[in-house]
């Protein structure tokens, strides 16, 4: 195996804290198990401090270690605990993973009620040292860290043949040729993601086909058990994507009807076998009735019927079913203006709010469409009030530059998390003024606090592969790092996260850090400018989703239209159109329903408008299109120029990698700018008021 990057676990020598006596004697205190996780915590602390400061700490344990599994809150403690058939709750997970760091009697003290909490505490200290913070000052007063979300998950879309659906960083490091790969890199992956706060991983594509359907058979049990142990040793739960039609595909039955007794009996037997053979397994992720995947609709049953059937059986093993809400009709006629893909999630899942059992979590994409650079927040957030919910975002940059273009996504995730759903409002507020129960943002809902949910959390479709730098573009590592950090603490700012990533992965030189932050922080806004204007989305090349094709999806079956003609563009999703805007609680519904109130950045998502419509910015729609595209390209050029100033100041390999990506980004940005501007210039016949060159 060639030498792959250690990223933020490289632990190079650091200047500060070399004289810090407190770091030489570290105390782990609390009621935790002395297990593999604790062993790994000790190893990591020794490795990190030795690398960065040149000494290994003396580690001692104080308090009553080795508590029982039950007290540790089901299966978050020692691997032995994973065999218990206890269904835990999000609150228990969060309580257990909470940790505090302080300086007591001149020593660093990490306190937690689980070994996982201690491990997180170790990574917190290593991060402080890695960022050259003054540790003595940093923890002079005790700091407590409580995870914002119970489940902080990465979803791999890795296929067993080694390919990765929407993967832009090489091939899978989990599979090749239908076999599971386990090696040193697997362990380093677990370390990398645990170090930023991830505690759950789904290791196979949600489109479960071919060999992957056999993951729940003898063929893969041994390797999966081994993988599960590796992850469990870092406090990470293992999950598998499941083929909903397993009864047919591997069971030889002719039905997958969730209410059929034979189907249930098959699953009972299967799950007993699976959980026995893979004791660390914590549950399943299911994509049903979506993009050709089978599901309960085939049998006239609801999504709740399907999810509950599996969940009731999995419950005996303390396991959960994460059920995706990406269910829509992908066979639309472009002339059909009533069917609206954006409506589908709410239409399919809201009516059964309250019917999903307590170990089902609905996993909801951030927007109602599909990970575009700009979408409104799914109205299921704030619509569902009696259902466990999880937010799904995508750090694999499928529609956001494919790890060629720099696109730091944390600012976008912050917007999503901060969106006010007015869920306490429940549409009964006829005055339309809106109320706020203080817990109505997406962040509040997925933390579990708003509805006191049994389970909740956040997942990202991951951006890793077997490229030596893991994420294709070194700077895309900021999204992997940042997602974990934000999932653990949704209060962190994008700037802080970028700062930590750069200092730990690239350089601690303040000028370098500032320059890279100046590249990362505006990169999402810039990508948005040179691609799809005003929330319209989808003007990408079909199938690959990279590069511009204004009409690529316009006459296709996917329900993804811009509806441009010579007079205007945009999709009417108001009460006079598809009615999607009304799926929101007030005052959001009224805001989106009116072009006057709708925020500019989403106005074409909700409205079909003439090119001459004047935006809040004072520009017309058409002038906005021209300006945004010219500016977006120019700003991308400036980002690339900034990067060039780092030659000789950062590692050559990192420099060359990002430099090469920037060349491709500029080509892409220019193509978008030219094609979008030319298209709308020709179709509208309206001149650019600044008289710039449009082809
Ligand atoms: C895994 C989009 C992607 C598909 C993906 C799907 C999903 O449609 O293009 O590749 O399939 O989302 O989220 O299930």
């Amino acid at each position: 195996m060639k030498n792959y990057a250690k990223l933020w676990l490289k632990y190079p020598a650091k200047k500060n804290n070399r004289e810090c006596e407190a770091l030489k004697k570290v105390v782990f205190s609390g009621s935790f198990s002395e297990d593999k996780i604790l062993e790994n915590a000790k190893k990591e602390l020794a490795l990190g401090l030795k690398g960065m400061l040149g000494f290994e700490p003396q580690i001692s344990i104080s308090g009553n270690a080795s508590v029982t599994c039950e007290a540790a809150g089901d299966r978050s403690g020692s691997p032995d605990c994973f065999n218990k058939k206890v269904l835990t709750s999000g609150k228990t997970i969060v309580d257990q993973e909470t940790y505090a760091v302080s300086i007591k009697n001149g020593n660093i003290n990490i306190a937690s009620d689980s070994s996982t909490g201690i491990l997180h505490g170790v990574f917190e200290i290593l991060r402080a040292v890695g960022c050259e913070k003054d540790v003595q000052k940093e923890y002079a007063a005790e700091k407590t860290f409580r995870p914002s979300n119970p489940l902080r998950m990465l979803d791999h879309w890795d296929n067993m043949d080694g390919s990765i659906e929407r993967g832009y960083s090489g091939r899978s490091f989990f599979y090749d040729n239908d076999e599971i790969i386990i090696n040193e890199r697997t362990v380093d992956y677990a370390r990398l993601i645990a170090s930023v706060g991830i505690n759950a991983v789904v290791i196979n594509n949600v489109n479960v086909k071919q060999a992957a359907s056999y993951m729940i058979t003898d063929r893969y049990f041994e390797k999966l058990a081994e993988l599960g142990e590796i992850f469990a040793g870092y406090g990470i739960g293992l999950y598998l994507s499941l083929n909903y039609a397993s009864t047919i595909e591997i069971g030889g039955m002719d039905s997958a009807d969730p209410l059929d007794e034979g189907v249930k009996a098959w699953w009972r037997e299967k799950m007993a076998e699976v959980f026995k053979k893979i004791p660390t397994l914590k549950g399943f992720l299911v994509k049903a009735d979506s993009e050709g995947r089978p599901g309960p609709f085939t049998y006239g049953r609801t999504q709740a019927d399907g999810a509950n059937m599996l969940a009731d059986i999995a419950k005996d093993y303390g396991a959960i079913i994460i059920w995706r809400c990406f269910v829509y009709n992908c066979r639309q006629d472009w002339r059909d203006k009533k069917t609206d893909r954006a409506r589908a999630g709410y239409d399919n899942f809201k009516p059964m709010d309250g019917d999903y059992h307590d170990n089902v979590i609905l996993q909801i994409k951030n927007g109602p469409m599909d990970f575009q650079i700009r979408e409104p927040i799914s109205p299921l957030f704030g619509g569902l009030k009696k259902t466990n919910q999880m937010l799904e975002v995508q750090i694999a940059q499928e529609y956001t530059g494919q790890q060629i273009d720099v696109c730091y996504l944390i600012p976008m995730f912050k917007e999503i998390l901060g969106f006010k759903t007015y869920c306490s409002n429940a549409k009964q507020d006829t005055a339309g003024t809106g109320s706020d129960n203080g817990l109505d943002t997406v962040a509040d809902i997925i933390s579990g606090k708003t509805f006191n949910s049994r389970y909740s959390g956040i997942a990202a479709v991951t951006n890793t592969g077997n490229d030596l730098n893991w994420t294709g573009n070194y700077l895309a590592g900021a999204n992997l790092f940042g997602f974990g950090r934000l999932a653990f603490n949704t209060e962190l700012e994008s700037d802080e996260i970028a700062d930590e990533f750069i200092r730990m992965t690239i350089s601690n030189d303040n000028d370098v850090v500032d320059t890279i932050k100046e590249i990362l922080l505006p990169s999402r806004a810039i990508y948005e400018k040179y691609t799809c204007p005003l929330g319209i989305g989808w003007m990408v090349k079909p199938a690959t989703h990279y590069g511009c094709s204004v009409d690529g999806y316009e006459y296709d079956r996917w329900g993804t239209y811009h509806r441009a003609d010579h007079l205007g563009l945009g999709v009417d999703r108001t009460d006079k159109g598809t009615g999607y805007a009304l799926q929101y609680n007030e005052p959001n519904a009224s805001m989106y329903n009116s072009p006057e109130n709708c925020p500019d950045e989403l106005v074409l998502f909700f409205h079909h408008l003439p090119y001459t419509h004047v935006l809040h910015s004072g520009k017309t729609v058409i002038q906005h299109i021209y300006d945004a595209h010219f500016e977006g390209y120019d700003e991308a050029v400036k980002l690339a120029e900034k990067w060039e100033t780092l030659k000789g100041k950062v590692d050559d390999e990192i420099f060359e990698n990002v430099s090469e990506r920037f060349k491709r980004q500029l080509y892409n940005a220019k193509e978008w700018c030219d094609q979008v501007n030319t298209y709308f210039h020709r179709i509208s016949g309206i001149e650019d008021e600044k008289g710039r060159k449009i082809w």
Side-chain angles (χ1 to χ4, degrees):
M1 201 187 318
K2 282 212 234 133
N3 231 357
Y4 53 86
K6 298 281 173 177
L7 302 181
W8 47 90
L9 299 186
K10 198 163 148 205
Y11 301 139
K14 299 282 172 177
K15 284 186 264 156
N16 295 1
N17 296 304
R18 293 199 156 251
E19 308 308 321
C20 178
E21 288 302 315
L23 281 168
K24 298 196 172 144
K25 281 194 179 163
V26 177
V27 181
F28 294 168
S29 66
S31 308
F32 45 77
S33 327
E34 293 217 44
D35 55 13
K36 182 78 183 159
I37 304 175
L38 202 75
E39 204 182 290
N40 283 333
K42 289 182 193 162
K43 260 203 236 159
E44 202 67 35
L45 189 63
L47 183 74
L49 292 188
K50 179 108 183 83
M52 294 191 283
L53 303 180
F55 57 78
E56 282 190 23
Q58 196 186 312
I59 301 172
S60 53
I61 293 184
S62 117
N64 39 348
S66 294
V67 289
T68 62
C69 298
E70 281 79 8
D74 94 317
R75 315 184 312 172
S76 56
S78 84
D80 288 349
C81 300
F82 284 83
N83 290 319
K84 295 278 165 172
K85 299 174 182 179
V86 184
L87 187 67
T88 187
S89 69
K91 167 137 186 346
T92 308
I93 296 174
V94 166
D95 286 346
Q96 289 297 314
E97 291 190 30
T98 296
Y99 65 91
V101 183
S102 58
I103 296 185
K104 281 196 184 130
N105 308 322
N107 305 327
I108 291 278
N109 186 293
I110 306 176
S112 179
D113 282 340
S114 74
S115 49
T116 311
I118 298 288
L119 179 71
H120 290 315
V122 161
F123 284 121
E124 158 67 23
I125 288 167
L126 294 175
R127 203 159 35 242
V129 173
C131 293
E132 301 200 320
K133 290 184 182 161
D134 180 342
V135 164
Q136 198 69 43
K137 264 203 213 144
E138 195 66 17
Y139 307 112
E142 183 174 74
K143 282 191 170 172
T144 299
F145 301 84
R146 186 175 171 81
S148 306
N149 296 294
L151 287 174
R152 306 176 303 274
M153 177 177 264
L154 286 171
D155 292 352
H156 283 260
W157 285 357
D158 295 32
N159 298 314
M160 297 209 71
D161 63 2
S163 62
I164 302 179
E165 182 153 351
R166 312 306 175 187
Y168 311 107
S169 316
R171 288 171 62 78
S172 173
F173 49 76
F174 281 130
Y175 316 103
D176 191 29
N177 205 15
D178 292 346
E179 292 302 334
I180 295 175
I181 305 168
I182 299 179
N183 55 32
E184 200 191 322
R185 191 165 182 162
T186 324
V187 179
D188 277 340
Y189 178 63
R191 293 174 57 227
L192 272 173
I193 63 174
S195 74
V196 290
I198 297 297
N199 67 356
V201 65
V202 183
I203 57 166
N204 61 313
N205 189 358
V206 284
N207 289 326
V208 186
K209 297 177 195 165
Q210 290 120 13
S213 301
Y214 291 85
M215 275 210 163
I216 50 171
T217 68
D218 266 347
R219 187 164 159 191
Y220 295 114
F221 283 149
E222 210 176 302
K223 284 280 174 72
L224 287 174
E226 203 184 325
L227 258 185
E229 290 297 335
I230 292 173
F231 283 119
Y234 289 91
I236 300 165
L238 177 74
Y239 293 77
L240 295 176
S241 292
L242 203 62
N243 185 335
Y244 178 79
S246 296
T247 42
I248 302 173
E249 292 201 24
I250 62 172
M253 298 176 66
D254 59 5
S255 173
D257 181 347
L259 302 191
D260 180 299
E261 289 307 322
V263 169
K264 289 189 204 168
W266 187 88
W267 275 115
R268 268 195 292 273
E269 205 174 309
K270 181 47 78 184
M271 291 224 190
E273 186 190 8
V274 171
F275 285 104
K276 181 158 180 256
K277 296 286 178 57
I278 319 171
T280 58
L281 188 68
K282 300 194 97 183
F284 298 103
L285 173 65
V286 187
K287 170 175 177 176
D289 287 310
S290 172
E291 301 185 331
R293 303 314 301 145
F297 281 170
T298 313
Y299 307 94
R301 312 297 185 194
T302 65
Q303 297 296 300
D305 290 333
N308 291 341
M309 181 272 288
L310 292 171
D312 291 350
I313 301 170
K315 192 170 184 171
D316 286 347
Y317 307 95
I320 56 176
I321 298 294
I322 303 171
W323 193 268
R324 295 179 87 226
C325 294
F326 189 56
V327 176
Y328 69 98
N329 171 8
C330 61
R331 298 200 166 271
Q332 191 174 336
D333 185 311
W334 64 271
R335 280 159 290 230
D336 170 6
K337 291 199 174 163
K338 277 293 166 200
T339 305
D340 182 3
R341 172 166 166 179
R343 291 189 57 112
Y346 190 97
D347 286 344
N348 284 316
F349 287 89
K350 166 73 183 166
M352 290 156 297
D353 190 17
D355 293 349
Y356 305 94
H357 293 175
D358 68 352
N359 59 331
V360 173
I361 310 184
L362 294 190
Q363 184 165 290
I364 307 164
K365 287 193 182 185
N366 59 272
M369 300 298 274
D370 194 8
F371 301 135
Q372 301 300 292
I373 190 70
R374 175 74 64 178
E375 284 187 48
I377 308 307
S378 167
L380 279 170
F381 291 113
L384 295 172
K385 298 191 175 67
K386 295 177 240 155
T387 301
N388 297 322
Q389 297 166 57
M390 215 167 151
L391 168 66
E392 181 179 347
V393 296
Q394 193 187 43
I395 55 174
Q397 295 170 238
E398 178 178 356
Y399 295 94
T400 54
Q402 303 199 349
Q403 288 134 247
I404 297 168
D405 304 37
V406 179
C407 190
Y408 178 53
L409 292 162
I410 306 305
M412 171 159 130
F413 299 162
K414 289 286 293 178
E415 281 173 19
I416 295 164
L417 291 165
F419 180 76
K420 277 178 176 294
T421 66
Y422 298 97
C423 52
S424 50
N425 225 12
K427 292 191 191 240
Q428 71 273 37
D429 177 11
T430 43
T433 49
S435 63
D436 179 352
N437 61 2
L439 281 177
D440 68 342
T441 64
V442 172
D444 294 326
I445 293 172
I446 62 165
S447 74
K449 287 186 207 136
T450 310
F451 302 118
N452 202 12
S453 318
R454 172 108 197 196
Y455 281 103
S456 59
I458 179 166
V461 177
T462 196
N463 60 358
T464 49
N466 73 356
D467 274 2
L468 296 183
N469 67 7
W470 300 83
T471 55
N473 186 332
Y474 259 99
L475 294 186
N479 287 329
L480 180 63
F481 179 94
F483 170 73
R485 294 287 291 132
L486 189 65
F488 194 92
N489 179 0
T490 49
E491 301 288 306
L492 290 177
E493 294 301 334
S494 306
D495 182 290
E496 278 177 273
I497 294 175
D499 201 279
E500 287 178 356
F501 166 75
I502 300 162
R503 290 184 189 278
M504 296 197 67
T505 318
I506 303 178
S507 167
N508 242 322
D509 176 293
N510 286 338
D511 290 341
V512 172
V513 173
D514 288 345
T515 305
I516 301 180
K517 278 203 282 185
E518 284 164 20
I519 293 172
L520 288 176
L521 291 168
S523 60
R524 180 267 181 141
I526 293 172
Y527 187 84
E528 181 178 16
K529 279 188 181 178
Y530 65 73
T531 56
C532 311
L534 304 168
I536 195 78
W538 293 107
M539 300 191 309
V540 289
K541 293 195 177 116
T544 63
H545 300 168
Y546 187 79
C548 180
S549 174
V550 178
D551 277 341
Y553 274 108
E554 197 53 20
Y555 304 99
D556 216 322
R557 64 182 172 93
W558 295 93
T560 48
Y561 311 112
H562 54 61
R563 304 220 179 271
D565 59 21
H566 65 295
L567 296 173
L569 86 154
V571 184
D572 185 353
R573 293 191 161 105
T574 67
D575 53 344
K576 295 179 192 64
T578 71
Y580 166 77
L582 305 187
Q583 290 183 337
Y584 290 86
N585 297 322
E586 290 295 0
N588 290 337
S590 300
M591 171 179 74
Y592 289 139
N593 202 48
S594 126
E596 280 69 44
N597 297 333
C598 186
D600 283 353
E601 67 270 13
L602 283 169
V603 79
L604 297 179
F605 188 93
F606 286 97
H607 302 275
H608 184 87
L609 296 173
Y611 294 111
T612 51
H613 172 88
V614 180
L615 301 166
H616 295 119
S617 67
K619 291 181 184 181
T620 58
V621 166
I622 190 74
Q623 195 55 41
H624 173 95
I625 293 176
Y626 298 149
D627 287 353
H629 285 81
F630 283 121
E631 275 168 33
Y633 173 69
D634 288 348
E635 288 169 13
V637 170
K638 295 218 171 65
L639 294 189
E641 286 169 0
K642 266 190 206 299
W643 182 259
E644 289 304 306
T645 66
L646 296 178
K647 192 168 174 62
K649 296 188 186 156
V650 299
D651 184 279
D652 285 348
E653 191 199 320
I654 299 181
F655 178 80
E656 293 305 335
N657 164 267
V658 178
S659 220
E660 181 271 340
R661 302 269 154 163
F662 263 127
K663 287 196 183 80
R664 289 154 70 188
Q665 173 167 358
L666 293 189
Y667 186 87
N668 183 41
K670 184 85 180 88
E671 196 174 68
W672 273 96
C673 172
D674 286 346
Q675 290 195 20
V676 172
N677 281 345
T678 300
Y679 180 98
F680 287 104
H681 180 246
R682 282 183 62 173
I683 199 171
S684 70
I686 301 174
E687 293 303 326
D688 169 29
E689 63 189 28
K690 297 186 184 147
R692 290 160 291 195
K693 175 155 186 155
I694 295 179
W695 299 95

